[in-house]
Structures are given as C-alpha cells and as structure tokens.
C-alpha cells in the first residue's frame, strides 16, 4: 500500500463520515466504527436504548453507499424463509425457481434482531460468515459488498431471544450510539420538521469502490510484534478468572482486520498499538462471556477488557513501522 493510496483512502473515508454525520449528528466515533466495519467486510451489532438513533445510523450508511438496501423487522413469527428466500414451483415454466429474500442486498438492516426465534436467527449464520445462502442444496451468493447491521434494545427483554455466542462471534463489532451531547440535541430539535434526515442523503460512493477500499485495507502492514500483542490479549482473556469464554481465533482475525482498516482511515500504511487498544471494546465486548460469579459481583466486560490491556505491555511503536 503506497502513501498516495492511503491518503486517498483516508480522504474518501472522511468524506463518507461527513455525509453520514448530516443525518446522525455528533456521533463521529460510532460512525467511524460503522464504516470501519463495512470496509473490513464485517457486520455490526448496535445495542442501545430506544430513540438513540440506531436505525438512523444504519439507514444513513445505506444511503451513502450506492447499491441495494433492505430492512427486516425481526418479530417472533418471522420465518427463516422470510429472510433468506424460498424456492417456488412455477407452473408456466414447469420448474422450481428461487425467489431471493431481503437478505440479498448490499446493506441489510436487521431491526430488533433478538425478537426473532432462534430458528430464524440461525438463518443468518451461513450468510454472515460465507456470504451465501443455501436453499434446497443450492448455494446463492449475496454478492459484494455485503453487510448486516443489527439492532437490539438492552432494556426491554420481554418477548426476546438472547443471541447465542456463535452468532455474536459473527459480528465484527458491537457498539452503542449513545445520547447526543447538548449542542447536537439542540441542532436536532431545531430541525424537528425533518422527519427522516437519512432520506436527504445522496450516495457518495459506488459499491464497487467499497470492495476496492476493502482490498486496499488488506495491504496495510501489521508487524509481527503487533500480531503477538493481539495473541497475548486472546490468551489472557481465555484464562482471566472473571471470564467463562475468551477471545476465539475468529475474534483475533476480526481484530486484525479492523486494525488494518482503522490505520488506513488515519492515513497510515501500518498498524500501531494504539489502534489495537482503541478497537478493544467494540471488537471484544460481545465476544467475552462473564462468569456467573463475576456477574453477581457487578463486574462488567469493559472492566475486564481494561484489566487485560493493563496486564500486557504493548510493543514499542517503532516496531509497527
């Protein structure tokens, strides 16, 4: 990856952030995380209180990228075929034809994903990992780029089904939007006549360019010392007394992919230890499972992540370059 390429990458990344922020005010950090997730060819889980802009962020990201977009409202009676599609017999052709479901889109918003039954949630496992859906023994690719942005409400648990660890691990990142600050709230209220800010956005980038940027991010240099740092974080998480489940190898791969994209968005051709530290919470928080004793003691995953990072000495930054 040349310096000219990374400069173009960072400039384009900032333009995309600026466009999304027209709809989601004062949320630059989570916007950057969402774009990093897209350009790392991953999926994002947004967990936050109602009315904080989870759906708005997802729709703003969809509106910024040229391509197909779909929204699936997850409910207890939603069937797997309602997500993936179904094969139907066509009498006129005397043959079975596949009718694709809403999962066949560039960016898919899975709204309130934990309201669907485990059977329906499992319909996403294959497509989120392999980018394809298998119906009646035949594989159907969803194409590139492909991203699932799922939302869930952490407060209201009535009528919900907790996402299993296998599915949580398929999300590259988990983040929360949070409430806007004082100035951003005033700006939103001043424009109360606008019902949907995301509708006003114009696409800035073609889907094919997103694929090119993702390939470019893969070329970012990661020093072996940085890889060792990620490996030590994973090993420490697996033996931490407060954790029942530590970081998997898939989680480590996700960590490195995100760090590469984040470094490129900052205009660097190499990853530094601060990239690893900054991405620790969004990449690790949904992959680490607290032990029962730690939960009863009031320990949080965020506290455990801080403890793990504090116990491991990061490599010298000069080694990253």
């Amino acid at each position: 990856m040349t310096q000219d390429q990374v400069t173009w990458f960072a400039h384009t990344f900032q333009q995309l952030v600026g466009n999304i922020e027209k709809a989601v005010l004062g949320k630059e950090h989570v916007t950057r995380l969402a774009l990093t997730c897209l350009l790392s060819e991953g999926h994002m889980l947004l967990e936050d209180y109602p009315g904080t802009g989870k759906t708005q962020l997802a729709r703003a990201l969809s509106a910024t990228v040229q391509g197909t977009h779909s929204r699936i409202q997850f409910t207890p009676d939603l069937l797997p075929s309602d997500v993936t599609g179904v094969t139907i017999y066509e009498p006129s052709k005397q043959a079975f034809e596949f009718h694709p479901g809403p999962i066949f889109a560039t960016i898919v918003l899975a709204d309130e994903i934990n309201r669907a039954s485990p059977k329906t949630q499992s319909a996403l496992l294959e497509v989120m990992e392999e980018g394809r859906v298998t119906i009646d023994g035949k594989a159907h690719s969803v194409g590139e780029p492909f991203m699932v942005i799922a939302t869930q409400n952490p407060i209201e648990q009535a009528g919900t089904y907790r996402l299993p660890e296998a599915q949580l691990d398929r999300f590259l990142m988990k983040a929360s939007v949070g409430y806007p600050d004082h100035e951003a709230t005033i700006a939103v209220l001043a424009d109360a006549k606008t019902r949907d800010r995301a509708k006003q956005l114009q696409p800035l980038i073609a889907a094919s360019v997103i694929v090119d940027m993702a390939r470019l991010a893969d070329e970012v240099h990661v020093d072996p010392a940085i890889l060792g740092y990620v490996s030590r974080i994973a090993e420490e998480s697996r033996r931490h007394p407060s954790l029942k489940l530590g970081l998997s190898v898939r989680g480590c791969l996700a960590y490195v992919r995100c760090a590469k994209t984040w470094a490129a968005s900052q205009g660097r051709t190499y990853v530094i230890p601060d990239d690893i530290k900054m991405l620790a919470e969004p990449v690790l928080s949904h992959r680490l499972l607290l032990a029962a004793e730690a939960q009863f003691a009031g320990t949080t995953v965020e506290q455990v992540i801080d403890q793990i990072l504090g116990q491991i000495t990061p490599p010298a930054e000069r080694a990253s370059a």
Side-chain angles (χ1 to χ4, degrees):
M1 193 177 191
T2 66
Q3 190 58 49
D4 287 342
Q5 287 176 321
V6 79
T7 300
W8 169 80
F9 188 105
H11 176 69
T12 305
F13 191 96
Q14 188 57 47
Q15 284 185 315
L16 297 175
V17 171
N19 196 57
I20 294 172
E21 280 203 300
K22 294 175 184 176
V24 186
L25 302 182
K27 293 299 174 185
E28 182 179 355
H29 182 65
V30 71
T31 299
R32 284 183 168 276
L33 289 178
L35 280 171
T36 298
C37 206
L38 172 64
L39 295 172
S40 302
E41 300 179 315
H43 312 286
M44 190 170 203
L45 178 63
L46 292 172
E47 182 178 272
D48 213 330
Y49 306 123
T52 51
K54 301 186 297 294
T55 303
Q56 188 78 343
L57 173 61
R59 296 185 68 250
L61 179 60
S62 299
T64 300
V65 179
Q66 288 180 349
T68 55
H69 315 115
S70 65
R71 173 177 177 173
I72 309 172
Q73 187 65 53
F74 278 67
T75 55
D77 60 346
L78 191 74
L79 299 175
S81 58
D82 295 331
V83 175
T84 59
V86 65
T87 301
I88 299 177
Y89 182 74
E90 297 288 348
S92 59
K93 300 179 181 179
Q94 295 188 348
F96 286 92
E97 277 195 1
F98 175 65
H99 293 250
I103 199 67
F104 286 83
T106 305
I107 297 178
V108 179
L109 171 57
D111 217 359
E112 297 187 280
I113 188 172
N114 56 336
R115 291 202 172 277
S117 67
K119 183 178 181 180
T120 302
Q121 290 177 10
S122 66
L124 294 173
L125 291 176
E126 179 187 15
V127 70
M128 288 176 67
E129 181 71 15
E130 302 174 29
R132 67 182 186 185
V133 171
T134 303
I135 304 292
D136 295 337
K138 185 175 180 181
H140 305 270
S141 174
V142 294
E144 292 184 317
F146 171 68
M147 180 182 185
V148 174
I149 304 179
T151 69
Q152 65 178 12
N153 176 1
I155 298 300
E156 189 180 1
Q157 298 302 317
T160 64
Y161 301 86
R162 185 178 176 275
L163 296 181
E165 278 65 38
Q167 185 164 355
L168 284 172
D169 202 32
R170 280 167 169 77
F171 284 101
L172 197 61
M173 290 186 191
K174 176 185 173 185
S176 61
V177 178
Y179 292 114
D181 58 26
H182 182 67
E183 289 74 16
T185 302
I186 291 175
V188 170
L189 297 177
D191 193 27
K193 65 180 180 181
T194 303
R195 295 289 189 269
D196 187 357
R197 302 175 71 92
K199 241 181 196 178
Q200 300 176 341
L201 300 184
Q202 297 297 320
L204 282 190
I205 192 168
S208 59
V209 180
I210 292 292
V211 176
D212 292 340
M213 291 180 73
R215 299 291 181 269
L216 206 56
D218 285 339
E219 301 304 316
V220 170
H221 174 68
V222 186
D223 193 89
I226 298 289
L227 297 178
Y229 186 39
V230 172
S231 179
R232 287 198 300 273
I233 291 173
E235 291 165 4
E236 189 62 36
S237 73
R238 293 168 196 158
R239 56 174 171 254
H240 197 283
S242 296
L243 293 177
K244 184 166 63 173
L245 181 67
L247 185 61
S248 67
V249 176
R250 177 162 49 197
C252 292
L253 289 169
Y255 210 165
V256 173
R257 291 207 314 270
C258 289
K260 286 183 174 186
T261 305
W262 188 266
S265 73
Q266 304 295 317
R268 281 183 278 104
T269 59
Y270 55 90
V271 175
I272 61 175
D274 283 347
D275 297 330
I276 302 298
K277 292 179 184 176
M278 205 289 306
L279 292 169
E281 190 172 320
V283 174
L284 304 184
S285 61
H286 60 297
R287 291 184 163 91
L288 306 182
L289 187 62
L290 286 172
E293 297 82 2
Q295 292 184 49
F296 291 139
T299 305
T300 65
V301 171
E302 291 73 23
Q303 290 172 342
V304 173
I305 292 173
D306 288 341
Q307 290 172 12
I308 292 173
L309 293 177
Q311 292 168 0
I312 303 172
T313 304
E317 190 167 317
R318 61 180 174 79
S320 305

